[in-house]
Amino acid sequence: MKILIINAGSSSLKYQLMDMDSETVMAKGLCERIGIDGKFTYKPQIEGKAKIDAADVPMPTHAEAIKATLDALVDPQNGVIASMSEIGACGHRVLHGGMEFTQSCLVDDKCIAAIKKCFPLGPLHNPANLTGILACQDVMPGVPQIAVFDTAFHQTMPEKAYIYALPYEYFEKYQCRRYGFHGTSHRYIARHAAEFMGGDPAKLKIISCHLGNGSSLCAIDGGKCVDTSMGLTPLAGVPMGTRCGSVDPSVIKYICDQEGITYDDMDTIMNKKSGVLGVSGVSSDFRDLGDAAEQGNKRAQLALDIFHYEVAKTIGAYAAAMNGVDGIVFTAGIGENSPYTRAEICKYLGYLGAELDPELNALRGDNRYISTADSRVKLMVIPTNEELVIARDTVDIVNSL
């Protein structure tokens, strides 16, 4: 079965076409500046097929973006399938499923209503995710659409981990609680780390460190999430590229009063002008920060130090929450590709018996240990694959229909 995977943003749409018989990517790409001037990228993963990188592609809505994607996939010269009938289903990433969903599901009226209900919880993502779903329904009538929720994996957390110490009525009335995100990534790591370690998943305690421009950590005990660093929204947890992470809530009112700005202004600051960008004043890109720090920029170094420190603190908290840890996995853009970041974080972990091997840490490659042979805690780098999780769920649901 061939599955089209869609990750729709407010003005963008990422896509992959996967052949699930071999679990290989046939083509992938990106539609950008939807509703503005349109930019379309298409990268077939089959030899002899040419890629497309075109600006000024008319995309007034997501429907045109989906149409451009399908046209490229079936193009007589550079397409990777003969016709749209080869696409068995579409799998959609949806940010927030609230408490409605503990697993992926077929998109129907009930599912659409639940996604809309979560608009206040994911105002930047859920409306865009739903737009992508509706566009696919319009352009691909009769093709099953499957929603895969970022929050679903974290629904196994116990109440003590997800209830905020606020008046309980806010949870009852508004479902105000910790939800967590990057769930498809952490779920992938939970499965593949256990396979890589060769242990019984039900007996392993793993900390998954999804470190990128957006970062979150997850405590996985027996294959299930028991705690995670993001909260009601993706703003909580460790500092990120432009997000502040968890701060004293009174900071918000204090700065609003001092600066004479509104809460909405402050929300923008916390989401888009904070994190390592806000501290450094240089960039939200960790590679730029590394270059600046090497040139003596103290604020760039401070931003990196804060990030490493907060990640290490969270690892320590999760080791305590699970009463031990067998493996710590680094994944996502920074986690997979920055030996420096991994080394700086691991400097704090000696008390756990986690010992980093500098030579192994400097190497590149998929699914590898970076800890010494006698390290009590296994340190690993495992590239995440959220699209594969979405595709697998999509196939399972379609086969059960």
Side-chain angles (χ1 to χ4, degrees), residues 21-304:
D21 292 337
S22 58
E23 291 194 341
T24 56
V25 178
M26 301 178 68
K28 60 183 178 180
L30 175 65
C31 303
E32 298 177 273
R33 299 176 66 81
I34 298 171
I36 308 174
D37 48 12
K39 181 180 179 183
F40 180 73
T41 303
Y42 168 72
K43 297 179 180 178
Q45 306 297 295
I46 297 175
E47 189 175 352
K49 303 291 184 177
K51 70 176 185 178
I52 299 172
D53 193 352
D56 298 322
V57 178
M59 295 181 195
T61 71
H62 285 68
E64 286 80 15
I66 295 292
K67 181 67 164 53
T69 298
L70 295 174
D71 287 346
L73 292 173
V74 301
D75 180 77
Q77 185 173 355
N78 295 308
V80 294
I81 55 177
S83 71
M84 283 174 51
S85 63
E86 292 186 43
I87 300 176
C90 291
H92 297 265
R93 176 192 178 237
V94 180
L95 178 85
H96 219 304
M99 295 179 65
E100 307 290 330
F101 298 100
T102 59
Q103 57 188 6
S104 305
C105 70
L106 177 72
V107 174
D108 54 18
D109 290 344
K110 182 180 177 181
C111 174
I112 290 174
I115 293 172
K116 289 180 178 178
K117 182 181 176 181
C118 292
F119 278 8
L121 296 172
L124 299 179
H125 296 82
N126 269 45
N129 300 153
L130 182 57
T131 296
I133 290 172
L134 297 177
C136 283
Q137 287 182 329
D138 182 50
V139 178
M140 308 171 69
V143 176
Q145 309 293 323
I146 308 301
V148 180
F149 300 91
D150 249 13
T151 51
F153 181 64
H154 304 300
Q155 289 297 302
T156 55
M157 284 190 291
E159 285 186 314
K160 63 184 178 183
Y162 70 73
I163 293 290
Y164 291 125
L166 294 167
Y168 195 76
E169 64 187 272
Y170 298 139
F171 169 67
E172 294 178 307
K173 291 164 62 176
Y174 309 120
Q175 297 184 343
C176 182
R177 51 159 285 180
R178 180 184 306 280
Y179 287 99
F181 301 89
H182 295 137
T184 49
S185 176
H186 292 304
R187 178 150 63 104
Y188 180 89
I189 294 302
R191 171 177 169 175
H192 287 268
E195 291 176 354
F196 185 61
M197 295 173 72
D200 182 355
K203 296 180 180 179
L204 290 175
K205 299 177 180 182
I206 295 168
I207 299 174
S208 171
C209 305
H210 179 109
L211 308 180
N213 190 264
S215 296
S216 72
L217 285 79
C218 183
I220 303 167
D221 193 350
K224 296 181 179 180
C225 170
V226 296
D227 207 342
T228 191
S229 58
M230 287 179 168
L232 176 76
T233 73
L235 184 59
V238 300
M240 302 169 229
T242 63
R243 300 177 201 152
C244 61
S246 298
V247 297
D248 179 346
S250 293
V251 166
I252 301 168
K253 182 177 186 304
Y254 179 76
I255 293 178
C256 286
D257 290 345
Q258 297 299 313
E259 292 286 313
I261 59 178
T262 66
Y263 172 78
D264 286 343
D265 295 331
M266 190 64 197
D267 186 61
T268 298
I269 290 169
M270 291 188 296
N271 275 287
K272 298 183 178 180
K273 300 180 181 180
S274 299
V276 295
L277 170 63
V279 174
S280 70
V282 173
S283 176
S284 62
D285 191 311
F286 282 71
R287 293 167 296 188
D288 295 338
L289 295 182
D291 293 340
E294 286 183 2
Q295 296 169 10
N297 187 309
K298 292 183 178 180
R299 280 175 53 187
Q301 185 61 60
L302 175 61
L304 293 171

Side-chain angles (χ1 to χ4, degrees), residues 236-392:
V238 300
M240 302 169 229
T242 63
R243 300 177 201 152
C244 61
S246 298
V247 297
D248 179 346
S250 293
V251 166
I252 301 168
K253 182 177 186 304
Y254 179 76
I255 293 178
C256 286
D257 290 345
Q258 297 299 313
E259 292 286 313
I261 59 178
T262 66
Y263 172 78
D264 286 343
D265 295 331
M266 190 64 197
D267 186 61
T268 298
I269 290 169
M270 291 188 296
N271 275 287
K272 298 183 178 180
K273 300 180 181 180
S274 299
V276 295
L277 170 63
V279 174
S280 70
V282 173
S283 176
S284 62
D285 191 311
F286 282 71
R287 293 167 296 188
D288 295 338
L289 295 182
D291 293 340
E294 286 183 2
Q295 296 169 10
N297 187 309
K298 292 183 178 180
R299 280 175 53 187
Q301 185 61 60
L302 175 61
L304 293 171
D305 291 344
I306 292 171
F307 178 75
H308 302 148
Y309 179 65
E310 293 295 334
V311 171
K313 278 204 311 184
T314 306
I315 290 173
Y318 290 168
M322 295 190 293
N323 195 21
V325 58
D326 299 303
I328 299 171
V329 181
F330 294 94
T331 193
I334 298 167
E336 294 170 24
N337 297 303
S338 176
Y340 170 71
T341 297
R342 297 191 296 263
E344 290 300 302
I345 292 169
C346 289
K347 285 180 179 179
Y348 292 96
L349 307 182
Y351 70 98
L352 290 173
E355 297 183 21
L356 184 74
D357 185 315
E359 292 185 2
L360 293 178
N361 186 44
L363 299 176
R364 292 191 174 273
D366 296 346
N367 298 355
R368 67 190 191 279
Y369 288 116
I370 56 173
S371 49
T372 61
D374 56 355
S375 177
R376 292 204 305 272
V377 176
K378 298 299 183 184
L379 303 171
M380 294 163 276
V381 175
I382 298 179
T384 192
N385 194 334
E386 297 168 87
E387 290 79 13
L388 181 56
V389 173
I390 294 171
R392 284 172 173 170

